[in-house]
Amino acid sequence: MPEIDPSFTALPYRELGAVALGRAQELGATHADFRFERIRHQHLAVRDGVLQTAMDSDDEGFAVRVIHRGSWGFASGVVLTRDEALRVAETAIAVAEVAAEMTPVPIEIAPEPVYPDVTWVSSYDVNPFDVPIAEKAALLIDWTERLRRGAAVDHATAAVGQVQENKYYADLAGTVTTQQRVRVDPNVEAMGAGADTFDSMRSLAAPVGRGWEYLTAGVYDWDSELDQMPELLAEKLKAPTIEAGRYDLVIHPSNLWLTIHESIGHATELDRALGYEANYAGTSFATYDKLNTLQYGSNIMNVTGDRTVEHGLSTIGFDDEGVQTQTWDIVRNGVLVGYQLDRPMGHMKPELNGGRSNGCAFADSSGHIPIQRMANVSLQPAEDGPGTEELIGRVEHGLYVLGDRSWSIDMQRFNFQFTGQRFYKITNGELAGQVRDVAYQATTTDFWGAMEAVGGPQTWELGGASNCGKAQPGQVAPVSHGCPTALFRDVRILNTTQEAGR
Amino acid sequence: MNHGISPQSLVEHGVATSMADDCIVIVRDSTSANLRWANNTLTTNGVMHRVDVSVVSFVRQSGGTCTGSVSGSATTQAEVDELVRAADAAARAAAPAEDVAELVRDRTSPDWADEPGSTGIEVYDEVAPALGEAFVRAGSGGRVLYGFVDHQVTTTYLGSTSGLRLRHVQPTGHFACTGKTADLTNSAWVGTATRDFTDVDPLAAEETLAQRLAWGRRRVDLEAGRYDTILPPTAVADLMIYAYWVAGARTAWEGQSVFSRRPTGTRIGEELVRPEVTLFSDPALTGLQCAPFTVAGVSTNESSVFDNGLELGRTDWIRGGELTALRQTRHTAEMTKQPVTPAIDNLVLDVDGASGSVEDLVAGTERGLLLTCLWYIREVDPQTLLLTGLTRDGVYLVEGGEITAAVNNFRWNESPVDLLRRFSVASETVPTFSREWGDDYFSRTAMPALQIPDFNMSSVSPAQ
């Protein structure tokens, strides 16, 4: 396992934390935590063989969060001195005093065992920050050049985001954690035009909690995908437009992960169900009174939440409230049985997880307060379940859907509309070429209720996003979703050019 | 507030110590304070301070000029040294840049020497007690409030070896509040941008929410279909910001946007929309003031580090219905043979001859819908700029010039460019705050309300 980056452990967070927590305690805080973060980010972007963007950016600073007079107080700073640590602790206390006037019900948090001094590092082989930019750029340049050799390809782009996230957390109870995560988010796209149309074809590769080996070492089959993309684009540009109507869908994990994210992941965040996001991200149809009774989907639907799966983007050892991460059920046999929690919600709903948080607190930087963010919410495959071809074989009139593209869902997570990278017509159990201009639209419980079969473990893949948005001020979180290929009956399909009134 | 070493001296230190042929240093000092509430009680809050330094190094080598961009949190000379070393090294290792241009030279802002602006929790000294009172009033009226106030002051210092010393203070703030009836079946929203919170009145907002929730006492369920629909200024802002966002010259030139004339070319010069329409940006616009010079820490498809310090003035993107400009760097301006019209951080839509308010549009409507705002807007087809999204927090039925009921929400599919061709009536342009993009991306807008005779409500959303 890789070690924590020594250039992080050399930073003065232990001293600043002790000073800040001491001051918060002196001023009467009943809870206080100190979080120091350094997030290294590098973005490389190539267009048509030219490195357009090479940006390194570090975000480093610390935050103090207190419960004082029954209210939260949060403050953050970037000047790494004892004086500033004192000032930030005092500001957090002062903010709590302002907040106390407007907080009629005192804040309490669920208990959690103390972890005196633990470290955790994510699973990767090659830290992308150890690879020279020129070497990484050369790979991306080569990818765009290979794509542009395809006759249908006018332009090609390749980009990769790389992150090394280091967090140090300490609280008054005595928990101290030091952690490091690495992730990469590669993206390759080919663009071309037909007679009266233009379109693009993007790689199906997902962002993932791995190192640079994801782009080079046979973890993902880039060569065959890059070889196929120009021809796939050519076929898409010539493909007939879809006839709007109702179709059976066989959905590949590269598309289904996003539907899970939007219609299950966000809908089972308890803070949304309780209204905390009502002014921004929205609420949830899966309200708390429906726990253990809501028929979320068909009885083959089993969904778990975890922050532990290897290479998952939400995976970590301990969350931003010092809670050890876990795995739990969210939907069992089609019924809603669980939510994603942080410590205040763990206290509020002790029946959910034995009175404990399930470890979903996350802040995207030292400048932001931790809130409940998404675990890796994943659809389970069927043991001995069918392969993708067998699922396609069960469809007379349908579509096989690969890759995500456009996505939108309402503020209670009922009505959604998704497009994809490619849609293949299925006729009598066989693929019959690509079709264009497709969007699928459904209501969450109807859609999951129409899931007739899930594939076996051999079809299961981890998809995900590095840019999930939530909260005010806005925070961005990375999250993965695993799922098998799955079969849905009788789903509404729109023709997007007709929708545009053409 | 302890800002550490002054931002100007961090700039001077970086510019002086770079070993590259040229160097640009951008320091952003940012303070912010926020309060968030739900269920008539405060939930989270925060006071933040950050200092971000971006260093761009330029090295002339055989074959052209190479650049390196590095940024990070930095408050000491030693931290700036590290960024400069990394940027210099990145430039030396880079291939020649494609967006090479002369650096902008020798301009100093008159307020260069001033300290950074700042904000803190005290900006809410008057708003916070009023909010507390609003929670009480809402609670006793059977209503629930959810919302957020945020105030940020970011001061940018940009210095270069070519003699630039530019400073800009940008206050950005907003107030937004959702109200629901206690049974959560009715929802309303108000939101406004502000520079300093002196013009924010939480009690007046609570009254507006109470009135809108009262409109919902009668409920009518409507099917999907095309409706005569009044988009209030906030919804128009949501849509126009998207059109502005995808108005990069290079993607248009290379055939990938609604502004493309394929195979290679743009639609600049075409009659794009109705002839009464003008869409423009102007950094000096009162109330919507934004940076009057280009700041680019990194080159992308739509920005160029060589353009740092370019002066910005009013730019008409659409004038008299004709597409007149796209967002350019000097590199893409050369490529497209167009004037240099870089991005500007505000946006105004004006309709010639339009007058009156949303209420006047309602009064003139026999049967139609009035929206509150839009949500979860995403591009479905870049070719037509077909967008999808939802209506949110109040769709109202207008009958005989009056609001008579609340209606269910809808999913819609529409293109902003198409809407500017099809609208029947527009109101006067007023400052407004985009619900979807105002928080984190684009808050400085002025828009009219637009009435669309046949707005495409694609399906019903049961969300409340």
Side-chain angles (χ1 to χ4, degrees), chain A residues 271-272 274-283 411 471-473, chain B residues 35-39 43 144-150 174-180 187-192 209 373-375 392-393 433-436 439:
Chain A
D271 63 340
R272 291 183 61 122
L274 296 175
Y276 297 175
E277 287 284 335
N279 183 58
Y280 187 63
T283 60
M411 40 288 165
Q472 293 177 302
Chain B
L35 299 173
R36 196 176 194 209
W37 59 95
N39 304 320
T43 50
V144 193
L145 301 183
Y146 313 79
F148 183 58
V149 284
D150 192 25
H174 83 271
F175 167 92
C177 191
T178 300
K180 290 181 184 288
S187 197
W189 177 82
V190 290
T192 179
L209 291 169
C373 55
L374 306 178
W375 188 246
R392 181 168 185 181
D393 294 325
F433 176 74
S434 159
R435 176 85 188 268
E436 174 103 18
D439 269 49

Side-chain angles (χ1 to χ4, degrees), chain A residues 219-297:
Chain A
V219 178
Y220 186 84
D221 191 354
W222 293 100
D223 282 337
S224 73
E225 189 173 36
L226 289 164
D227 286 347
Q228 289 165 24
M229 278 170 65
E231 193 43 48
L232 291 168
L233 175 63
E235 187 192 350
K236 186 178 187 178
L237 288 166
K238 285 183 265 180
T241 195
I242 185 80
E243 191 181 327
R246 301 195 75 89
Y247 291 77
D248 295 343
L249 301 185
V250 175
I251 306 183
H252 185 264
S254 57
N255 180 274
L256 191 58
W257 75 267
L258 183 51
T259 309
I260 293 169
H261 176 86
E262 300 294 357
S263 70
I264 309 171
H266 280 302
T268 58
E269 295 178 312
L270 187 57
D271 63 340
R272 291 183 61 122
L274 296 175
Y276 297 175
E277 287 284 335
N279 183 58
Y280 187 63
T283 60
S284 175
F285 74 94
T287 48
Y288 195 69
D289 56 308
K290 299 193 175 81
L291 183 70
N292 297 322
T293 57
L294 174 69
Q295 194 68 43
Y296 214 108

Side-chain angles (χ1 to χ4, degrees), chain B residues 370-381:
Chain B
L370 168 66
L371 307 186
T372 297
C373 55
L374 306 178
W375 188 246
Y376 223 122
I377 302 166
R378 293 293 183 275
E379 183 181 84
V380 177
D381 184 358

Side-chain angles (χ1 to χ4, degrees), chain A residues 47 52-53 56-58 60 72 102 197-198 262 278-280 367 406-408 410 412 415 472 499, chain B residues 39 42 45 47-48 71 73 178 254 262 299 301 376 378-379 383 392 411 413 435 439 459 461 464:
Chain A
R47 187 177 180 91
Q52 251 186 341
T53 305
D56 269 287
S57 59
D58 279 16
E60 178 182 291
W72 287 122
M102 292 177 276
T197 184
F198 72 86
E262 300 294 357
N279 183 58
Y280 187 63
S406 174
W407 73 102
S408 175
D410 73 34
Q412 256 187 300
N415 174 307
Q472 293 177 302
E499 285 295 305
Chain B
N39 304 320
L42 212 64
N45 55 57
V47 172
M48 292 81 147
S71 52
S73 318
T178 300
E254 295 187 345
R262 279 178 297 277
S299 285
N301 217 20
Y376 223 122
R378 293 293 183 275
E379 183 181 84
Q383 197 147 238
R392 181 168 185 181
R411 169 171 299 288
N413 283 314
R435 176 85 188 268
D439 269 49
S459 59
S461 156
Q464 288 165 333

Side-chain angles (χ1 to χ4, degrees), chain A residues 126-129 160-163 182-187 206-215 222 313 466:
Chain A
V126 181
N127 188 324
F129 292 89
V160 60
Q162 308 137 73
V163 176
V182 164
R183 55 184 174 267
V184 292
D185 185 358
N187 194 330
V208 67
R210 293 182 184 267
W212 191 249
E213 69 277 5
Y214 186 51
L215 285 85
W222 293 100
L313 291 168
S466 52

Side-chain angles (χ1 to χ4, degrees), chain A residues 43 47-48 50-61 71-81 83-84 87 91-92 94-96 98-105 107 133-134 154-155 191-199 261-262 266 271 273-283 287 365-371 405-417 419 436-439 441 443 470-475 492 494-502, chain B residues 1-4 34-52 68-73 75 79 83 90 93-99 121 128-129 131-132 135 146-148 150 174 176-178 180 189-190 226 250-251 253-258 260 262 297-302 331 375-384 386 388-393 409-415 418 421-422 435-436 439-440 456 458-464:
Chain A
H43 183 73
R47 187 177 180 91
D48 293 342
V50 175
L51 180 66
Q52 251 186 341
T53 305
M55 181 189 64
D56 269 287
S57 59
D58 279 16
D59 185 325
E60 178 182 291
S71 285
W72 287 122
F74 177 84
S76 70
V78 287
V79 181
L80 307 186
T81 60
D83 282 355
E84 183 68 352
R87 188 196 69 79
T91 305
V95 172
V98 172
E101 305 294 317
M102 292 177 276
T103 312
V105 182
I107 304 286
I133 289 180
D154 296 332
H155 301 283
M191 289 154 274
D196 56 355
T197 184
F198 72 86
D199 219 320
H261 176 86
E262 300 294 357
H266 280 302
D271 63 340
L274 296 175
Y276 297 175
E277 287 284 335
N279 183 58
Y280 187 63
T283 60
T287 48
S365 61
S366 58
H368 286 148
I369 194 165
I371 56 164
R405 191 163 180 183
S406 174
W407 73 102
S408 175
I409 187 164
D410 73 34
M411 40 288 165
Q412 256 187 300
R413 305 278 145 173
F414 281 114
N415 174 307
F416 59 68
Q417 178 177 307
T419 65
R436 286 178 49 81
D437 310 322
V438 185
Q441 202 182 70
T443 295
K470 187 177 170 183
Q472 293 177 302
Q475 295 197 40
R492 183 183 183 199
L494 303 180
N495 178 302
T496 57
T497 54
Q498 279 169 11
E499 285 295 305
R502 298 295 161 99
Chain B
M1 164 108 17
N2 174 6
H3 289 271
N34 68 72
L35 299 173
R36 196 176 194 209
W37 59 95
N39 304 320
N40 292 338
T41 180
L42 212 64
T43 50
T44 60
N45 55 57
V47 172
M48 292 81 147
H49 175 221
R50 51 186 300 155
V51 182
D52 294 292
S69 292
V70 175
S71 52
S73 318
T75 56
E79 287 168 321
L83 295 172
E98 62 175 353
D99 52 339
I121 200 75
L131 258 181
F135 297 162
Y146 313 79
F148 183 58
D150 192 25
H174 83 271
C177 191
T178 300
K180 290 181 184 288
W189 177 82
V190 290
R226 288 186 179 267
R250 182 152 183 186
T251 42
W253 180 256
E254 295 187 345
Q256 289 140 27
S257 86
V258 68
S260 300
R262 279 178 297 277
V298 65
S299 285
T300 69
N301 217 20
E302 313 223 321
H331 174 237
W375 188 246
Y376 223 122
I377 302 166
R378 293 293 183 275
E379 183 181 84
V380 177
D381 184 358
Q383 197 147 238
T384 52
L386 180 71
T388 192
L390 283 306
T391 63
R392 181 168 185 181
D393 294 325
N409 280 303
F410 296 97
R411 169 171 299 288
W412 49 267
N413 283 314
E414 278 288 1
S415 160
D418 245 25
R421 274 196 287 264
R422 284 169 29 222
R435 176 85 188 268
E436 174 103 18
D439 269 49
D440 302 310
N456 178 17
S458 173
S459 59
V460 167
S461 156
Q464 288 165 333

